[in-house]
Amino acid sequence: MIYAKFHTKSGDRIKYHKSSSIWPGIKFAKPITKPFIGWIIGNGKKIDFWGDT
């Protein structure tokens, strides 16, 4: 699906801007959800910045 959105039928990448259908909803929800979003990585004592998922 992502490939189809950003490539032409011949397989070339598009060279123009395509609007997002979900971005307006994400922008609307950001101020409401931002205070409640955080990251929990392992136990916090040993963090592998490059390897932890």
Side-chain angles (χ1 to χ4, degrees):
M1 183 174 131
I2 298 290
Y3 186 87
K5 180 174 174 119
F6 296 105
H7 290 81
T8 64
K9 289 181 181 179
S10 64
D12 298 326
R13 277 193 172 163
I14 61 167
K15 296 183 179 6
Y16 55 89
H17 174 76
K18 268 191 144 174
S19 342
S20 170
S21 58
I22 61 168
W23 185 244
I26 293 171
K27 287 194 315 187
F28 173 77
K30 181 182 174 190
I32 299 166
T33 58
K34 189 172 182 181
F36 305 103
I37 295 176
W39 294 91
I40 299 174
I41 304 173
N43 63 7
K45 293 180 182 179
K46 184 178 178 187
I47 299 171
D48 180 357
F49 181 79
W50 298 110
D52 288 342
T53 53

